[in-house]
Amino acid sequence: MSAVETVKVTVDGREVEVAKGTGVVEAAAAAGIESPVFCYEPRLGPPVGACRMCLVEVEGVPKLQAGCTLTAQDGMVVRTAGASEKAAEGQNATLEFILVNHPLDCPVCDKGGECPLQDLTFRYGPGQTRMTFPKRTFDKPIPISPTIALDRERCILCYRCTRFSSDVAEDGQLVARNRGAQSVIATFEDEAYRAPFSGNVIELCPVGALTSTQYRFQGRPWEIQNVPTVCGLCPVGCNISATTREGKVKRIISRNHPEVDEGWLCDKGRFAYPHLYAHDRLVDPLERLRGRGFTEISWDAAIDRAEELLRGAGGRIVTALSGSETVEQAYALGKLLRQGLGAHSAVLPEATSSALDAFRAPLSTIAAAELVVVLGDEAVADRAPIVDLWIRQARRNGAEVVEVVEAKLGKKLEERVSGSDRAVLIWSGRGGGGGARLAELGHRLGLDGKPGCAAFHLPGTPNGRGVADAWAACSDAEESNPEPIGLLIVSGDEAAADPAV
Ligand code: SF4
Ligand code: SF4
Ligand code: FES
């Protein structure tokens, strides 16, 4: 393996050695020096140098340089605002320039308190304005989608949102209209921004120009808690934080896991949380009375009634699981029923196979693949939305993506997969024995044990595999099939809708 070529750079008097091609902002970070930035966001692709917030002084270069677009060279001596009056003046002027039109809206802006523009102005900007003329205004807020509002006068034209739309989600729906000082962010032909990953632009926006219509005016940063958790709406399990205020979930935001979600969320994961408070959601126990429908009962009465039914069934119990339970819920249910009552019979949400364990790899493996083969009859974006973003990233990185609906590769494609060091198979659809067929294929093509290769089976339920494992872990007794069934326990809507139940 050839050694990585490196260069030595000095940032604010600290020498660091970084890989050749590294940008000055990253080299400064390697030296432990933070650069203030607005437009710089490596997940969006190459830097664009739009905001000039990262200005640095480079020895021997007369003008200040944008650190994000400048590549570190061997022997380069860089001074950031912390060590250079000239760089500090440049950053101060950049902020003064941005604030010429940015309104001083902070007390009524939803970004206030968690806003990079506020923070950087406080740290690097002028304490007061010299501009006395009126600022530019627009109609506001513009509902660019049912979930996103645009306050155009707050926009600092960093192009993070448009770059996400065109270069990451590839929906091409957010655009910059006009040129120069007249530039504004808009949707393509003023159509609503309807795309599966649109909500990410809210988090990317470094000011309060793009805000969530669900969260606007719902809480201030000092009134909320961001509780780390995991999205349970599809098998990906994106890392998220649930923003709560007074015990209620008010917002879902990403919590970057570079191997799972890279900090992106799909709109289902981000915006579906109001179902927690749906008016028709069951929050108290109901008892069905023969011929008289349901009636509300207290928790104590419900627990007594459940105990009576469970004891009365004498073990002739079948449990139907949905696959949307958490591992802990499934395990607790299994403990009670299997260990407590000897009721081992279950209808599991879907078939699962442990054969795929030989191909375990992080989802980020997809981005580095040279050949991605998607098998199955269901769109990846529907089964596991974030996997669709990983596949798009792989394609942008030069990978060939082949879709095989009938789940048969053909001889030529099989040869290419087995001859590749970076091939990934993805099963998105029905059948497949819970990954068994995919594992068999991967094994036949020699993918097991190859570090850059992987095989992913996208289950039809968010946690079918976890539920099956948790249920199995509760007892090693054989499953029994009681005849006749004394009691059927149905866990969740999906199980209730399962024809097998
Ligand atoms: S709307 Fe926000 S993310 Fe988009 S260009 Fe303006 S400031 Fe940047
Ligand atoms: S991709 Fe799946 S896990 Fe991630 S946010 Fe969307 S629904 Fe949730
Ligand atoms: S962060 Fe460098 S120009 Fe915007």
Side-chain angles (χ1 to χ4, degrees):
M1 211 169 77
S2 61
V4 180
E5 232 182 304
T6 59
V7 293
K8 282 187 181 160
V9 201
T10 306
V11 186
D12 293 357
R14 297 184 203 172
E15 192 182 74
V16 276
E17 193 167 349
V18 292
K20 196 174 175 186
T22 302
V24 165
V25 163
E26 290 95 349
I33 294 157
E34 184 199 345
S35 305
V37 296
F38 290 121
C39 66
Y40 171 79
E41 171 46 90
R43 293 176 300 158
L44 299 176
V48 291
C51 72
R52 321 308 284 176
M53 191 58 223
C54 59
L55 290 176
V56 291
E57 187 180 358
V58 180
E59 211 168 88
V61 180
K63 286 189 176 175
L64 293 175
Q65 301 293 307
C68 68
T69 49
L70 189 67
T71 305
Q73 307 290 340
D74 202 33
M76 194 181 246
V77 178
V78 176
R79 278 187 282 276
T80 71
S84 154
E85 211 172 299
K86 198 171 162 189
E89 265 174 27
Q91 290 182 345
N92 187 288
T94 296
L95 281 161
E96 183 175 34
F97 186 62
I98 288 174
L99 293 172
V100 165
N101 271 315
H102 187 89
L104 295 182
D105 251 3
C106 307
V108 293
C109 173
D110 242 43
K111 196 81 170 181
E114 48 185 16
C115 172
L117 179 59
Q118 236 182 0
D119 294 346
L120 296 188
T121 301
F122 190 70
R123 288 168 63 192
Y124 301 94
Q128 56 191 39
T129 182
R130 293 181 291 169
M131 315 299 160
T132 50
F133 48 83
K135 294 179 187 242
R136 200 166 51 161
T137 57
F138 294 94
D139 285 343
K140 63 173 279 171
I142 302 166
I144 59 167
S145 84
T147 48
I148 305 172
L150 168 64
D151 288 83
R152 222 170 231 163
E153 74 288 352
R154 293 181 188 152
C155 172
I156 61 167
L157 290 173
C158 68
Y159 303 107
R160 282 180 169 210
C161 55
T162 50
R163 283 149 67 207
F164 174 80
S165 170
S166 63
D167 302 347
V168 177
E170 299 177 357
D171 56 56
Q173 294 193 41
L174 273 189
V175 292
R177 193 188 286 159
N178 305 334
R179 307 193 63 168
Q182 301 304 320
S183 301
V184 288
I185 297 303
T187 54
F188 185 69
E189 304 213 320
D190 286 331
E191 291 289 329
Y193 184 20
R194 286 186 194 276
F197 303 101
S198 68
N200 291 293
V201 299
I202 299 169
E203 274 190 69
L204 280 170
C205 183
V207 294
L210 294 168
T211 50
S212 157
T213 46
Q214 286 177 335
Y215 184 62
R216 270 169 88 93
F217 312 125
Q218 291 295 310
R220 282 310 211 173
W222 52 90
E223 298 169 328
I224 58 172
Q225 287 84 43
N226 287 323
V227 183
T229 180
V230 171
C231 178
L233 297 181
C234 92
V236 175
C238 292
N239 288 206
I240 57 172
S241 290
T243 298
T244 63
R245 182 186 172 200
E246 293 173 357
K248 283 203 158 176
V249 176
K250 295 288 182 183
R251 166 178 81 169
I252 299 293
I253 51 175
S254 66
R255 193 163 52 87
N256 191 341
H257 191 311
E259 294 183 340
V260 177
D261 49 57
E262 228 190 0
W264 309 128
L265 298 181
C266 76
D267 284 1
K268 179 169 62 168
R270 185 182 300 277
F271 295 125
Y273 70 89
H275 76 272
L276 295 171
Y277 307 108
H279 69 277
D280 55 351
R281 185 170 183 197
L282 288 187
V283 287
D284 290 308
L286 298 176
E287 183 179 19
R288 196 206 307 257
L289 299 176
R290 203 174 286 271
R292 281 189 284 149
F294 291 99
T295 182
E296 261 185 39
I297 55 171
S298 70
W299 279 103
D300 283 345
I303 291 166
D304 289 348
R305 185 81 184 102
E307 183 182 350
E308 195 184 307
L309 287 169
L310 287 168
R311 288 190 192 283
R316 291 175 300 115
I317 301 170
V318 174
T319 309
L321 294 142
S322 282
S324 53
E325 299 87 353
T326 61
V327 168
E328 293 81 358
Q329 285 167 337
Y331 188 75
L333 203 55
K335 272 272 207 196
L336 171 71
L337 293 162
R338 304 195 73 181
Q339 288 192 9
L341 297 167
H344 299 292
S345 186
V347 181
L348 291 173
E350 58 187 316
T352 55
S353 160
S354 57
L356 268 183
D357 290 355
F359 302 86
R360 275 199 183 178
L363 284 175
S364 51
T365 312
I366 301 170
E370 62 178 4
L371 179 59
V372 180
V373 181
V374 183
L375 304 107
D377 57 1
E378 197 176 323
V380 170
D382 293 340
R383 278 221 159 193
I386 287 299
V387 176
D388 185 56
L389 283 190
W390 284 117
I391 295 173
R392 286 173 190 277
Q393 192 179 139
R395 195 185 280 122
R396 287 195 300 276
N397 290 343
E400 186 183 348
V401 179
V402 186
E403 290 180 13
V404 188
V405 177
E406 312 81 30
K408 284 205 176 74
L409 267 59
K411 198 162 177 292
K412 271 198 180 146
L413 188 53
E414 285 198 359
E415 278 170 9
R416 289 183 51 212
V417 171
S418 57
S420 168
D421 286 334
R422 289 181 291 128
V424 169
L425 303 176
I426 299 171
W427 187 294
S428 175
R430 289 164 297 177
R437 273 181 68 191
L438 186 62
E440 192 187 296
L441 179 66
H443 183 65
R444 186 157 55 78
L445 300 181
L447 298 194
D448 33 356
K450 275 196 194 172
C453 297
F456 299 100
H457 173 256
L458 308 180
T461 58
N463 194 24
R465 182 175 295 270
V467 164
D469 287 351
W471 183 261
C474 292
S475 166
D476 51 14
E478 285 294 305
E479 176 161 325
S480 55
N481 284 314
E483 210 46 70
I485 296 171
L487 183 66
L488 176 65
I489 297 176
V490 181
S491 168
D493 290 351
E494 299 91 338
D498 184 344
V501 176

